[in-house]
Amino acid sequence: MTDPVTAQEQQNHVPAPAVDAAAAQVDASATGAAPSTAADAQQASADGAGASDANDASDANGAPDQQASRRRGRNPRGGQGRQGAAAPAGGQPGKGPAAQGPRRTHPALEQLAGFYPHLFGAQFLPLKRGIFQDLQDAHPGVFEKEELKAALGIHTRSTRYLQVVAEGRQRHDLQGQAVEAMAPEHVHHALLEVFRRRKPRDGEDLTLKLRRRIAQAYEASGLTREAYDTLVRGRDEKANALLDEAFAEVAERDAKAEALLRAFEASGSTPEQFADMYGMDARAVGQMLARARRPRTEAAAPANPAAAPDAAAPSAPDDAA
């Protein structure tokens, strides 16, 4: 049922939370920053998901794609059941994990996939905060409390679930409606965990890809560098170094865009003429000019009340880990 982390994945050296405690939480308590060590992640798994015992917490850490495959009726081990399991290296049948046959998906997850295929089926969506209570209210007497908590913990620790969180998708309710934005810190820590679990292909630089994804997530957040840093910086120095490199990458792009804007304004030409003059792609020039103008537009917005009608609107409560 689990998707064990390989030695190569462990060498990626990036921490992340083991569970989306915001979705699996039973109460509104927040744990703050995501765990940055294996021990912290294990404890967060048990606390955030409310696992009924240590086996539920440890078995779910890998958060399998295999588990989701079984929900769709596919055996990821090539159809081998208990009878087809190979004997351990010592030649003694009946001993070792291989002889025990494939593990079953948590029964509550099978039920959830039947009730809500748009959330727990072939495709995953991030779950709204407090989804545990919503499920209890929608199906009184159907789920044992501890079983449901364990199932949600397994689901939200899965790699496929963390991938949609890392994409910055909104959180959804039981009807599949987007109800709230994903918090920047949840996106960031999901990114770290997804890349920690990935096994590099030949010549693939996962560190470079992760840094670029962090830079994209930072820009998408709309936060200042200081605000974003406060939310996502943890205790792992290598992850923090990647964060600093992403900040520097964004700052460099901003500086280039600002220099281009100044040259464009001084030229008195159209964007097309300017692009042709410097042998650049007109679309790329347009994107860089828009990037450089954005801070000016945002700085001018508060001075124009009509441009920011929702400035006084309250933000969504942040009661999640």
Side-chain angles (χ1 to χ4, degrees):
M1 183 177 68
T2 58
D3 191 12
V5 178
T6 65
Q8 179 63 54
E9 289 169 322
Q10 291 174 343
Q11 290 173 5
N12 289 336
H13 296 300
V14 284
V19 65
D20 181 2
Q25 65 182 352
V26 183
D27 54 41
S29 61
T31 60
S36 58
T37 67
D40 290 339
Q42 190 83 331
Q43 184 62 48
S45 299
D47 292 343
S52 56
D53 56 52
N55 287 334
D56 281 330
S58 61
D59 286 350
N61 271 346
D65 288 352
Q66 296 176 355
Q67 160 203 327
S69 298
R70 288 198 181 93
R71 288 186 227 174
R72 299 193 295 272
R74 190 168 71 239
N75 187 339
R77 299 192 182 186
Q80 286 189 346
R82 185 181 302 272
Q83 298 297 327
Q92 300 180 15
K95 295 184 180 181
Q100 297 174 7
R103 297 176 180 175
R104 295 179 58 83
T105 302
H106 196 291
L109 279 178
E110 297 281 5
Q111 290 180 287
L112 290 172
F115 287 136
Y116 306 102
H118 52 287
L119 296 178
F120 299 92
Q123 299 295 325
F124 289 178
L125 287 173
L127 304 174
K128 71 179 286 288
R129 290 176 286 187
I131 201 77
F132 172 85
Q133 190 59 51
D134 292 350
L135 287 167
Q136 289 282 86
D137 295 341
H139 304 280
V142 173
F143 298 104
E144 291 289 338
K145 185 175 180 180
E146 295 303 318
E147 291 295 304
L148 180 58
K149 285 189 289 185
L152 284 175
I154 293 170
H155 178 76
T156 56
R157 281 188 289 265
S158 73
T159 299
R160 291 176 61 232
Y161 182 85
L162 289 173
Q163 284 172 341
V164 296
V165 173
E167 291 170 6
R169 298 192 190 185
Q170 290 185 299
R171 293 186 179 276
H172 292 69
D173 61 16
L174 293 180
Q175 288 69 47
Q177 300 297 315
V179 294
E180 58 183 323
M182 184 64 63
E185 61 270 30
H186 298 167
V187 175
H188 179 81
H189 291 299
L191 271 173
L192 295 180
E193 177 65 5
V194 166
F195 274 82
R196 184 184 70 83
R197 296 179 184 184
R198 284 182 62 177
K199 183 176 181 179
R201 299 169 183 158
D202 293 341
E204 186 178 25
D205 189 344
L206 288 182
T207 300
L208 175 61
K209 289 188 174 183
L210 176 56
R211 188 184 71 214
R212 289 176 176 172
R213 290 288 301 276
I214 292 173
Q216 292 170 0
Y218 160 49
E219 291 187 281
S221 73
L223 298 173
T224 64
R225 172 172 176 164
E226 292 73 18
Y228 192 84
D229 186 274
T230 299
L231 285 175
V232 308
R233 187 173 294 273
R235 289 172 289 180
D236 186 278
E237 292 306 318
K238 291 186 178 180
N240 291 339
L242 272 179
L243 176 62
D244 291 333
E245 291 172 8
F247 284 146
E249 182 177 309
V250 172
E252 182 180 356
R253 288 203 299 263
D254 287 340
K256 289 181 178 179
E258 177 64 26
L260 186 75
L261 177 59
R262 291 179 181 176
F264 168 74
E265 292 174 337
S267 71
S269 58
T270 66
E272 292 76 14
Q273 292 171 336
F274 184 81
D276 185 65
M277 184 187 313
Y278 287 92
M280 301 175 65
D281 179 74
R283 181 179 178 182
V285 168
Q287 291 174 341
M288 292 184 71
L289 293 177
R291 180 189 185 92
R293 290 185 178 122
R294 193 179 306 128
R296 300 181 184 181
T297 303
E298 293 172 353
N304 182 5
D310 297 328
S315 58
D318 186 10
D319 59 354

